[in-house]
Protein backbone atom coordinates (compact mmCIF):
# COMPACT_ATOMS: atom_id res chain seq x y z
CA UNK A 1 0.00 0.00 0.00
CA UNK A 2 1.45 3.35 -1.06
CA UNK A 3 1.33 5.99 1.67
CA UNK A 4 1.86 9.69 2.17
CA UNK A 5 2.81 11.58 5.32
CA UNK A 6 0.75 14.63 6.25
CA UNK A 7 0.88 17.11 9.13
CA UNK A 8 -2.02 17.95 11.45
CA UNK A 9 -2.54 20.14 14.51
CA UNK A 10 -0.30 22.86 13.15
CA UNK A 11 2.55 20.40 12.45
CA UNK A 12 2.38 18.96 15.97
CA UNK A 13 1.64 15.52 14.53
CA UNK A 14 2.76 13.65 11.44
CA UNK A 15 0.24 11.25 10.00
CA UNK A 16 1.03 8.41 7.62
CA UNK A 17 -2.00 7.30 5.64
CA UNK A 18 -2.90 5.59 2.36
CA UNK A 19 -2.18 7.73 -0.67
CA UNK A 20 -5.33 6.41 -2.36
CA UNK A 21 -8.66 5.35 -0.95
CA UNK A 22 -9.39 6.23 2.67
CA UNK A 23 -7.74 9.46 3.87
CA UNK A 24 -8.53 11.18 7.14
CA UNK A 25 -9.99 14.68 6.71
CA UNK A 26 -10.78 17.19 9.44
CA UNK A 27 -13.66 15.23 11.01
CA UNK A 28 -11.53 13.18 13.46
CA UNK A 29 -9.57 16.30 14.47
CA UNK A 30 -12.79 18.17 15.27
CA UNK A 31 -14.14 15.14 17.12
CA UNK A 32 -11.02 14.87 19.29
CA UNK A 33 -11.32 18.52 20.32
CA UNK A 34 -14.70 17.90 21.97
CA UNK A 35 -13.65 15.02 24.25
CA UNK A 36 -13.54 16.18 27.91
CA UNK A 37 -10.64 13.88 28.84
CA UNK A 38 -8.40 14.62 31.82
CA UNK A 39 -5.04 13.36 32.98
CA UNK A 40 -5.17 9.77 34.25
CA UNK A 41 -8.25 8.79 32.24
CA UNK A 42 -8.71 6.00 29.67
CA UNK A 43 -10.25 6.71 26.28
CA UNK A 44 -11.47 4.35 23.55
CA UNK A 45 -11.47 5.27 19.86
CA UNK A 46 -13.90 2.98 18.02
CA UNK A 47 -13.12 2.83 14.31
CA UNK A 48 -9.74 4.48 14.77
CA UNK A 49 -8.52 4.27 11.16
CA UNK A 50 -4.91 5.50 11.02
CA UNK A 51 -5.23 6.93 14.52
CA UNK A 52 -5.98 10.58 13.75
CA UNK A 53 -8.50 11.30 16.50
CA UNK A 54 -6.71 9.22 19.13
CA UNK A 55 -3.37 10.89 18.47
CA UNK A 56 -4.84 14.40 18.33
CA UNK A 57 -6.50 13.84 21.69
CA UNK A 58 -3.34 12.40 23.27
CA UNK A 59 -1.26 15.28 21.92
CA UNK A 60 -3.68 17.79 23.45
CA UNK A 61 -4.24 16.12 26.84
CA UNK A 62 -1.18 14.94 28.74
CA UNK A 63 -1.35 11.81 30.88
CA UNK A 64 -4.29 10.07 29.23
CA UNK A 65 -4.22 6.55 27.76
CA UNK A 66 -6.01 6.02 24.45
CA UNK A 67 -6.80 2.67 22.82
CA UNK A 68 -8.10 2.42 19.27
CA UNK A 69 -9.66 -0.49 17.42
CA UNK A 70 -10.48 -0.84 13.74
CA UNK A 71 -11.65 -3.65 11.51
CA UNK A 72 -8.91 -3.03 8.93
CA UNK A 73 -5.46 -4.38 9.89
CA UNK A 74 -3.74 -2.27 7.23
CA UNK A 75 -5.03 0.95 8.80
CA UNK A 76 -4.21 -0.27 12.31
CA UNK A 77 -0.64 -0.99 11.23
CA UNK A 78 -0.33 2.61 10.07
CA UNK A 79 -1.89 3.84 13.33
CA UNK A 80 0.75 1.93 15.31
CA UNK A 81 3.50 3.47 13.21
CA UNK A 82 1.94 6.93 13.64
CA UNK A 83 1.89 6.56 17.43
CA UNK A 84 5.58 5.62 17.42
CA UNK A 85 6.56 8.38 14.99
CA UNK A 86 4.94 10.99 17.23
CA UNK A 87 6.43 9.68 20.47
CA UNK A 88 3.03 8.61 21.80
CA UNK A 89 3.31 4.80 21.69
CA UNK A 90 3.56 4.64 25.48
CA UNK A 91 0.08 6.17 25.86
CA UNK A 92 -1.69 5.36 22.59
CA UNK A 93 -2.23 1.77 21.45
CA UNK A 94 -4.13 0.24 18.57
CA UNK A 95 -5.46 -3.20 17.68
CA UNK A 96 -7.36 -4.77 14.81
CA UNK A 97 -10.75 -5.98 15.95
CA UNK A 98 -14.45 -6.19 15.22
CA UNK A 99 -16.60 -3.98 17.43
CA UNK A 100 -19.28 -6.69 17.33
CA UNK A 101 -16.92 -8.86 19.40
CA UNK A 102 -15.34 -6.10 21.49
CA UNK A 103 -15.83 -6.75 25.21
CA UNK A 104 -13.48 -4.35 27.00
CA UNK A 105 -15.09 -1.73 29.26
CA UNK A 106 -14.54 0.80 31.98
CA UNK A 107 -13.37 3.62 29.70
CA UNK A 108 -13.83 7.19 30.87
CA UNK A 109 -14.65 8.38 27.36
CA UNK A 110 -15.46 6.77 24.02
CA UNK A 111 -15.15 8.62 20.73
CA UNK A 112 -16.54 7.30 17.46
CA UNK A 113 -16.12 8.29 13.82
CA UNK A 114 -18.07 5.44 12.17
CA UNK A 115 -18.80 4.76 8.50
CA UNK A 116 -21.32 7.41 7.54
CA UNK A 117 -23.28 5.61 4.82
CA UNK A 118 -25.92 2.92 5.21
CA UNK A 119 -25.11 0.06 2.84
CA UNK A 120 -28.58 -0.06 1.31
CA UNK A 121 -28.35 3.56 0.09
CA UNK A 122 -24.61 3.90 -0.57
CA UNK A 123 -22.61 3.91 -3.77
CA UNK A 124 -19.77 1.60 -2.74
CA UNK A 125 -16.21 2.46 -3.76
CA UNK A 126 -14.22 -0.21 -5.64
CA UNK A 127 -11.33 0.57 -3.25
CA UNK A 128 -11.86 -1.93 -0.39
CA UNK A 129 -10.20 0.26 2.27
CA UNK A 130 -12.34 3.27 1.34
CA UNK A 131 -15.47 1.12 1.07
CA UNK A 132 -15.06 -0.28 4.60
CA UNK A 133 -14.25 3.15 6.04
CA UNK A 134 -17.23 4.90 4.47
CA UNK A 135 -20.02 2.31 4.26
CA UNK A 136 -21.54 0.28 7.07
CA UNK A 137 -20.86 -3.44 6.96
CA UNK A 138 -22.19 -6.04 9.38
CA UNK A 139 -22.03 -3.42 12.11
CA UNK A 140 -24.86 -0.93 11.61
CA UNK A 141 -25.15 2.40 13.40
CA UNK A 142 -27.11 0.68 16.18
CA UNK A 143 -24.19 -1.66 16.84
CA UNK A 144 -21.70 1.21 16.96
CA UNK A 145 -23.81 3.01 19.58
CA UNK A 146 -24.39 -0.14 21.63
CA UNK A 147 -20.66 -0.95 21.64
CA UNK A 148 -19.76 2.58 22.71
CA UNK A 149 -22.26 2.59 25.57
CA UNK A 150 -21.14 -0.85 26.76
CA UNK A 151 -17.50 0.29 26.81
CA UNK A 152 -17.95 3.49 28.83
CA UNK A 153 -18.26 3.51 32.59
CA UNK A 154 -21.03 5.33 34.51
CA UNK A 155 -20.39 9.05 34.41
CA UNK A 156 -18.30 8.73 31.26
CA UNK A 157 -19.00 10.33 27.91
CA UNK A 158 -19.72 8.93 24.45
CA UNK A 159 -19.17 11.22 21.46
CA UNK A 160 -20.00 10.60 17.80
CA UNK A 161 -19.38 12.63 14.67
CA UNK A 162 -21.76 11.79 11.82
CA UNK A 163 -23.66 13.09 8.85
CA UNK A 164 -26.30 15.65 9.73
CA UNK A 165 -28.98 13.76 7.79
CA UNK A 166 -28.58 10.84 10.23
CA UNK A 167 -28.59 12.98 13.38
CA UNK A 168 -32.15 12.04 14.33
CA UNK A 169 -31.43 8.32 14.05
CA UNK A 170 -28.19 8.69 16.00
CA UNK A 171 -29.81 10.78 18.73
CA UNK A 172 -32.59 8.24 19.26
CA UNK A 173 -30.07 5.40 19.56
CA UNK A 174 -27.86 7.29 22.00
CA UNK A 175 -30.82 8.41 24.11
CA UNK A 176 -31.60 4.75 24.85
CA UNK A 177 -28.47 4.47 27.02
CA UNK A 178 -27.16 7.98 27.62
CA UNK A 179 -28.41 11.21 29.16
CA UNK A 180 -27.53 14.89 28.96
CA UNK A 181 -27.27 14.72 25.18
CA UNK A 182 -25.91 17.77 23.37
CA UNK A 183 -25.71 18.21 19.62
CA UNK A 184 -23.31 20.53 17.82
CA UNK A 185 -24.17 21.16 14.15
CA UNK A 186 -21.16 21.75 11.88
CA UNK A 187 -21.85 24.14 9.02
CA UNK A 188 -19.69 24.51 5.90
CA UNK A 189 -20.14 28.28 6.40
CA UNK A 190 -22.55 30.63 8.18
CA UNK A 191 -26.06 30.39 6.76
CA UNK A 192 -25.51 26.99 5.15
CA UNK A 193 -27.18 23.78 6.25
CA UNK A 194 -25.30 21.43 8.55
CA UNK A 195 -23.33 18.65 6.86
CA UNK A 196 -22.00 17.04 10.03
CA UNK A 197 -23.03 16.90 13.68
CA UNK A 198 -21.15 16.04 16.84
CA UNK A 199 -23.40 14.37 19.40
CA UNK A 200 -22.28 13.69 22.96
CA UNK A 201 -23.96 12.09 25.96
CA UNK A 202 -23.11 10.68 29.38
CA UNK A 203 -23.84 7.24 30.77
CA UNK A 204 -26.04 7.47 33.86
CA UNK A 205 -26.93 11.15 33.38
CA UNK A 206 -30.58 12.27 33.50
CA UNK A 207 -32.47 12.29 30.19
CA UNK A 208 -32.19 15.54 28.31
CA UNK A 209 -31.22 17.10 25.00
CA UNK A 210 -29.62 20.43 24.15
CA UNK A 211 -28.98 21.85 20.69
CA UNK A 212 -25.84 23.95 20.74
CA UNK A 213 -25.17 26.97 18.58
CA UNK A 214 -23.98 25.85 15.16
CA UNK A 215 -20.28 25.97 14.33
CA UNK A 216 -19.44 27.47 10.90
CA UNK A 217 -16.20 25.87 9.75
CA UNK A 218 -15.37 28.36 6.97
CA UNK A 219 -15.73 32.04 6.23
CA UNK A 220 -17.55 33.13 3.08
CA UNK A 221 -14.20 33.36 1.25
CA UNK A 222 -13.33 29.76 2.10
CA UNK A 223 -10.84 30.45 4.89
CA UNK A 224 -11.29 28.60 8.16
CA UNK A 225 -13.10 30.57 10.83
CA UNK A 226 -11.04 31.64 13.83
CA UNK A 227 -12.61 28.88 15.94
CA UNK A 228 -11.88 26.18 13.35
CA UNK A 229 -8.35 27.46 12.87
CA UNK A 230 -7.71 27.35 16.61
CA UNK A 231 -8.90 23.74 16.84
CA UNK A 232 -7.12 22.49 13.71
CA UNK A 233 -3.84 24.40 14.03
CA UNK A 234 -3.52 25.40 17.69
CA UNK A 235 -4.82 22.18 19.29
CA UNK A 236 -7.54 24.11 21.11
CA UNK A 237 -10.22 22.18 23.01
CA UNK A 238 -13.97 22.61 22.55
CA UNK A 239 -15.62 20.69 25.43
CA UNK A 240 -19.34 20.40 24.68
CA UNK A 241 -20.24 20.00 28.35
CA UNK A 242 -19.01 23.56 28.96
CA UNK A 243 -20.73 25.26 26.02
CA UNK A 244 -23.77 27.47 26.45
CA UNK A 245 -25.31 29.50 23.66
CA UNK A 246 -21.96 30.85 22.52
CA UNK A 247 -19.17 28.73 21.16
CA UNK A 248 -16.06 29.19 23.23
CA UNK A 249 -12.62 27.65 23.47
CA UNK A 250 -10.45 26.44 26.28
CA UNK A 251 -6.73 27.07 26.08
CA UNK A 252 -4.65 24.42 24.31
CA UNK A 253 -2.88 21.99 26.61
Amino acid sequence: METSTDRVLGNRLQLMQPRDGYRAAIDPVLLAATIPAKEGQRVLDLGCGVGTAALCLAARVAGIAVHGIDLQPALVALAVRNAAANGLADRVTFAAGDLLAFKDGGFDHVLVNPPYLARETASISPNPIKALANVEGEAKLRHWVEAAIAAVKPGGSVTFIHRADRAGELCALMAAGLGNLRQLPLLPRAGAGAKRVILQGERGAPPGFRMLQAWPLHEADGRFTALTDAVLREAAALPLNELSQELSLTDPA
Side-chain angles (χ1 to χ4, degrees):
M1 177 175 51
E2 190 175 357
T3 64
S4 65
T5 300
D6 304 288
R7 298 278 179 170
V8 297
L9 286 191
N11 290 326
R12 289 170 175 81
L13 292 175
Q14 64 181 43
L15 192 70
M16 187 181 299
Q17 55 184 334
R19 187 175 293 279
D20 299 311
Y22 171 80
R23 292 181 60 80
I26 67 173
D27 287 9
V29 186
L30 303 179
L31 173 64
T34 69
I35 309 304
K38 298 179 181 179
E39 184 175 356
Q41 292 186 328
R42 296 173 66 232
V43 182
L44 174 66
D45 181 359
L46 281 178
C48 62
V50 298
T52 309
L55 294 168
C56 285
L57 181 58
R60 178 169 59 78
V61 184
I64 62 170
V66 188
H67 181 63
I69 69 164
D70 198 279
L71 188 62
Q72 302 196 61
L75 296 185
V76 171
L78 289 177
V80 171
R81 294 174 67 181
N82 287 333
N86 289 286
L88 292 168
D90 60 330
R91 296 195 290 120
V92 186
T93 59
F94 299 99
D98 188 340
L99 70 88
L100 293 174
F102 187 73
K103 301 299 181 185
D104 198 0
F107 290 91
D108 296 283
H109 307 282
V110 179
L111 58 97
V112 194
N113 182 17
Y116 288 158
L117 303 174
R119 180 165 292 272
E120 57 271 17
T121 60
S123 176
I124 300 175
S125 170
N127 184 297
I129 293 178
K130 186 175 183 179
L132 282 171
N134 293 341
V135 182
E136 292 174 356
E138 273 191 65
K140 311 302 183 187
L141 184 56
R142 171 176 63 86
H143 299 114
W144 286 87
V145 174
E146 290 172 350
I149 293 172
V152 75
K153 68 183 185 181
S157 74
V158 171
T159 310
F160 275 74
I161 189 167
H162 216 298
R163 285 170 54 115
D165 59 6
R166 300 191 72 182
E169 176 188 1
L170 176 60
C171 186
L173 290 168
M174 292 178 68
L178 303 167
N180 191 23
L181 294 174
R182 46 229 178 235
Q183 180 173 313
L184 177 62
L186 306 180
L187 314 181
R189 63 189 180 282
K195 296 295 186 182
R196 300 281 187 269
V197 296
I198 296 177
L199 191 60
Q200 186 174 88
E202 298 166 10
R203 185 172 179 182
F209 175 83
R210 185 159 54 107
M211 180 70 75
L212 301 172
Q213 179 179 315
W215 176 1
L217 299 177
H218 299 89
E219 303 286 2
D221 61 5
R223 291 179 298 114
F224 285 129
T225 62
L227 178 66
T228 309
D229 199 67
V231 168
L232 295 181
R233 297 197 173 107
E234 301 301 326
L238 190 73
L240 302 192
N241 57 348
E242 297 178 11
L243 294 183
S244 57
Q245 293 302 310
E246 298 294 328
L247 289 179
S248 58
L249 290 165
T250 57
D251 292 334

